Amino acid sequence: MDFQGTLFEAAPATPDFSGLIRTPLTRGAWVDVCPAWLPEADDVFRALLDDVPWRAEQREMYDRVVEVPRLVHTYLRGEALPHHRLVEARESLSAHYAPELGEPFVTAGCCYYRDGQDSVAWHGDTIGRGKIHDTLVAIVSVGDSRRLCLRPRGGGDSISVELGHGDLVVMGGSCQRTWEHAVPKVARAGPRISVQFRPLNVF
Ligand SMILES: O=C(O)CCC(=O)C(=O)O
């Protein structure tokens, strides 16, 4: 495992939204980015790595069953998260976005990208309510930097956000329906874990 933690953590003592920048996208979608948002990101990364019951997923591709190139686990509503800073993160996000979201974030999907060959293909989180309603998905990223790419469904210019250790990105408005996102493979990368907070019945 070649991830090196930060020697001096730049993040504040509690999650702080003052550095947040919102970028409006087309068709009522938007994306918020807040660098170095998560306190104790090194500790959170290690807890996630060690304590999450990671599992590999498989999917059918043409006539074969292939491994999905990342490990996953989802904490459902009411299940204990592996670090108190993640509980604090979920609560801060619920409070900050309450005026727009109108409900709390309750689930935490975790994805572990072991190296640059792990990735996720273009998709929107459209299982459940995200298919027809506006919603928010908040992602906290720890470990090595990876690019989260976004492109409009049906074609158009893509944008990308470089997600570093402790950074927050929130996709909102119609983003899950009208845009797609992906984490592409890269030639070299160390381990990265993303935690996606979602409201109930958004997958
Ligand atoms: O790893 C990420 O930041 C994105 C994860 C994602 O898009 C998903 O699991 O739906």
Side-chain angles (χ1 to χ4, degrees):
M1 208 257 299
D2 56 2
F3 170 73
Q4 298 284 317
T6 45
L7 287 177
F8 304 100
E9 287 217 355
T14 55
D16 172 11
F17 292 89
S18 59
L20 186 144
I21 293 178
R22 176 162 300 188
T23 305
L25 305 174
T26 57
R27 293 193 273 169
W30 51 260
V31 63
D32 280 353
V33 178
C34 196
W37 178 81
L38 183 74
E40 292 187 71
D42 292 0
D43 230 39
V44 172
F45 178 75
R46 289 201 177 93
L48 287 163
L49 203 56
D50 294 345
D51 299 341
V52 174
W54 296 111
R55 66 182 170 82
E57 278 185 329
Q58 297 180 324
R59 69 182 161 88
E60 281 181 35
M61 203 169 142
Y62 308 109
D63 57 347
R64 288 184 304 144
V65 175
V66 295
E67 292 285 317
V68 172
R70 61 178 185 173
L71 301 181
V72 294
H73 177 75
T74 298
Y75 291 93
L76 299 172
R77 178 163 61 161
E79 291 183 341
L81 296 178
H83 197 284
H84 70 97
R85 288 296 192 178
L86 293 174
V87 178
E88 181 186 55
R90 185 185 60 205
E91 286 166 5
S92 314
L93 288 162
S94 294
H96 183 80
Y97 287 100
E100 282 172 293
L101 185 58
E103 60 182 322
F105 292 97
V106 292
T107 63
C110 301
C111 299
Y112 174 19
Y113 302 81
R114 293 156 291 187
D115 57 30
Q117 291 310 292
D118 277 356
S119 62
V120 65
W122 289 109
H123 69 285
D125 297 0
T126 53
I127 301 171
R129 287 182 297 149
K131 190 177 180 71
I132 39 175
H133 294 295
D134 285 5
T135 193
L136 269 69
V137 176
I139 299 176
V140 175
S141 194
V142 287
D144 217 358
S145 294
R146 290 293 290 267
R147 231 161 15 99
L148 178 76
C149 300
L150 295 115
R151 71 178 184 193
R153 264 181 209 279
D157 291 343
S158 64
I159 62 163
S160 70
V161 180
E162 188 73 28
L163 289 179
H165 188 46
D167 293 354
L168 170 72
V169 60
V170 182
M171 294 177 279
S174 69
C175 202
Q176 301 305 330
R177 287 199 312 283
T178 61
W179 283 62
E180 295 178 303
H181 55 278
V183 177
K185 293 186 194 309
V186 287
R188 292 183 65 84
R192 168 199 180 236
I193 296 172
S194 82
V195 182
Q196 308 107 42
F197 294 104
R198 296 185 177 88
L200 200 62
N201 198 16
V202 175
F203 307 98

